[in-house]
Amino acid sequence: MRRSGSWVAAVGLGAALLMGCTSSPSTYPDPSRAPVASPSAPASAGSLSEAQADLDMLVEQLESIHPEPWHGVPRETFVAAVADIQERMADLTDDQLLVEVMRLVAMISENGRDGHMFAMPSDQAAGTALPIRVYEFPDGVFVTDAREPHESLIGQEITAVGDHSIDEVLDALEPLVPRDGPATVPGFRPLFFLRVEVLRGLGLVGDGPVELTVSDGTTEETVPVDPIPMAEHQAWAGPGGMVALPVRDIQWLSRPTEVLYLEYLADSRTLFVRYRQVQALPSGVVRELQARADDPDVDRVVLDLRENGGGNNQTYGFLLDAVQSDAIDREGRLFLLTDRLTFSAAANFSTEVEQTTSAIFAGEPPGGGLNFWNDVTPVHLSELPVPMDVGISVRYWQKSTPDDPRLSIEPDIPVPYLSTDYFADRDPVLDAVIAAD
């Protein structure tokens, strides 16, 4: 089985398939020495050798499946890290071992270009999650949605988890995140933040309710939050709900099920085109786009790829042709909006637009790369105390020049998206584009 194309698909494989990098900072506990108890005891002596063999098998599969497995980390460094985990395995709790395998796989994308290589618990071992949704805005980590009885947390900033500041928590999670480049990290970090077993494995929390310290901007309070089964969280939040923003009554966050739609903004003479998924397009919509863009009442075409996690690379050709047409590709007329969750096939599309048109990019750098590995094959580590799935890349997508050193496309009009914008239903990125004349 091979998976490719989007973070929505990625986070659904074994509860997810993907991963990231770097060494542990000294500001948070060493997970191998964390004094915090875990409900799972260390692996039993009878299963220890099988679990150790699973990691040897992972190295073999990496070298068998990935065309260039050591593009981001020397083989000897990776193998030494495997041996270190195997040596310490008998003393690690299940949660600590889970985190160590995540950290191990993340080493492969340490230097970027392999953001699809997640390591996550298999579906049957998915564990538990905090019953909230979070987003890393430039002005803080905020709760964007919450299940009852925690609705009062919505709109509040998380300032600490247990005894650890939010900065310590984010630093602890960063080495676990797979990435095409730095822009991927804030996009995918919530996948790990919301997993209670990950927080325990890092030594950030103990058993029972997780204490979140939150602020409404004036006062702080500490709230105990009971974890819920991961399947329950996914059913509540929906596909991609652990990373994406909840639906809001604003152009770019409304109509979540539509692949592509057009909206004319008369006040600014703007044709707003929302492209949410790289999938087969509705019949006639590309012809409608091209015809409407050529009307004299259209001054600019804004193609919005924010939170487009990708999909099928074979489906965007007609849209790319339209964007390249004389009706749309004129100097100062075409704008492309991207963010941290513009990923995979959507990143390929963005790169082709950048390489072949005069489009002006606005927003955040895409979380997806310009040239990157993808099309993962899952490998199942069934003998670990917590069975895991690891996605191993098999194809290198090169949409920019071979020697392009960039890990992402820096926007021509960089615009931060603040929590105050989100909760007030403002779109500063679209506003900046309209004001750019």
Side-chain angles (χ1 to χ4, degrees):
M1 176 177 61
R2 182 169 297 170
R3 302 295 180 101
S4 67
S6 75
W7 48 255
V8 173
V11 299
L13 175 56
L17 265 188
L18 298 123
M19 213 141 176
C21 87
T22 80
S23 58
S24 305
S26 59
T27 54
Y28 64 90
D30 179 345
S32 68
R33 298 174 175 82
V36 181
S38 166
S40 303
S44 66
S47 63
L48 180 60
S49 61
E50 289 88 349
Q52 291 169 329
D54 249 3
L55 296 188
D56 290 331
M57 183 268 289
L58 175 60
V59 176
E60 294 170 1
Q61 291 296 303
L62 276 168
E63 296 188 314
S64 172
I65 295 171
H66 199 306
E68 295 183 28
W70 315 122
H71 67 89
V73 59
R75 183 184 190 276
E76 57 270 22
T77 301
F78 190 87
V79 171
V82 169
D84 177 65
I85 295 172
Q86 290 171 325
E87 182 179 346
R88 294 185 291 117
M89 192 176 286
D91 298 322
L92 298 176
T93 66
D94 292 356
D95 296 334
Q96 290 168 349
L97 180 56
L98 173 74
V99 166
E100 290 304 302
V101 175
M102 289 178 165
R103 191 192 311 277
L104 175 73
V105 176
M107 292 171 64
I108 295 165
S109 64
E110 190 167 48
N111 295 319
R113 303 190 192 278
D114 224 332
H116 290 74
M117 284 194 56
F118 277 74
M120 286 288 178
S122 302
D123 285 342
Q124 70 272 22
T128 58
L130 297 175
I132 59 175
R133 297 171 68 177
V134 300
Y135 197 83
E136 292 183 32
F137 295 96
D139 52 336
V141 178
F142 283 77
V143 179
T144 57
D145 201 0
R147 295 224 335 180
E148 61 178 16
H150 299 295
E151 295 97 325
S152 63
L153 295 177
I154 298 173
Q156 300 222 43
E157 180 183 3
I158 300 176
T159 59
V161 177
D163 295 329
H164 302 275
S165 72
I166 192 62
D167 288 339
E168 291 175 330
V169 174
L170 297 180
D171 285 346
L173 293 168
E174 190 270 343
L176 311 184
V177 185
R179 70 203 66 189
D180 284 347
T184 321
V185 175
F188 287 157
R189 189 155 35 196
L191 283 171
F192 302 88
F193 181 95
L194 294 176
R195 292 178 178 272
V196 177
E197 286 74 15
V198 171
L199 299 178
R200 283 202 303 256
L202 288 167
L204 298 169
V205 303
D207 298 342
V210 175
E211 292 191 342
L212 300 179
T213 302
V214 297
S215 170
D216 62 5
T218 303
T219 61
E220 281 192 342
E221 65 172 329
T222 298
V223 180
V225 176
D226 288 312
I228 60 175
M230 180 62 66
E232 198 172 314
H233 190 285
Q234 292 172 338
W236 163 64
M242 294 186 82
V243 295
L245 285 165
V247 172
R248 302 284 293 191
D249 187 21
I250 189 171
Q251 279 100 353
W252 80 282
L253 288 174
S254 62
R255 302 164 70 173
T257 62
E258 297 187 48
V259 174
L260 186 144
Y261 60 87
L262 316 180
E263 185 174 347
Y264 180 65
L265 310 179
D267 289 347
S268 61
R269 299 172 59 88
T270 298
L271 183 61
F272 178 81
V273 185
R274 185 69 170 108
Y275 188 26
R276 273 193 165 274
Q277 305 168 39
V278 184
Q279 301 294 346
L281 298 175
S283 177
V285 70
V286 174
R287 289 193 298 273
E288 179 188 356
L289 163 62
Q290 200 161 345
R292 187 69 181 88
D294 208 23
D295 285 347
D297 62 345
V298 174
D299 289 343
R300 69 182 60 79
V301 176
V302 176
L303 181 55
D304 192 343
L305 271 74
R306 289 174 290 179
E307 293 203 344
N308 186 327
N312 185 344
N313 281 284
Q314 309 306 315
T315 62
Y316 67 64
F318 290 120
L319 180 59
L320 181 63
D321 289 344
V323 169
Q324 294 168 337
S325 70
D326 292 340
I328 297 176
D329 184 23
R330 305 176 196 168
E331 196 70 32
R333 178 177 174 82
L334 172 61
F335 295 83
L336 197 73
L337 312 188
T338 59
D339 73 352
R340 66 192 68 177
L341 292 177
T342 306
F343 190 66
S344 198
N348 278 338
F349 176 82
S350 299
T351 303
E352 292 212 56
V353 170
E354 188 216 33
Q355 296 287 302
T356 62
T357 76
S358 59
I360 300 167
F361 281 65
E364 294 181 332
L370 297 95
N371 300 328
F372 59 89
W373 293 94
N374 186 8
D375 294 14
V376 297
T377 293
V379 170
H380 185 51
L381 305 180
S382 60
E383 301 304 322
L384 297 181
V386 178
M388 298 182 71
D389 290 311
V390 177
I392 299 180
S393 299
V394 301
R395 176 171 179 176
Y396 191 64
W397 290 89
Q398 182 178 291
K399 296 299 183 179
S400 185
T401 57
D403 60 348
D404 193 333
R406 296 175 298 165
L407 296 176
S408 189
I409 298 172
E410 291 295 328
D412 303 293
I413 306 174
V415 184
Y417 188 58
L418 303 177
S419 65
T420 48
D421 296 318
Y422 171 73
F423 290 110
D425 291 332
R426 292 192 297 262
D427 188 348
V429 183
L430 182 59
D431 291 345
V433 164
I434 292 172
D437 291 346

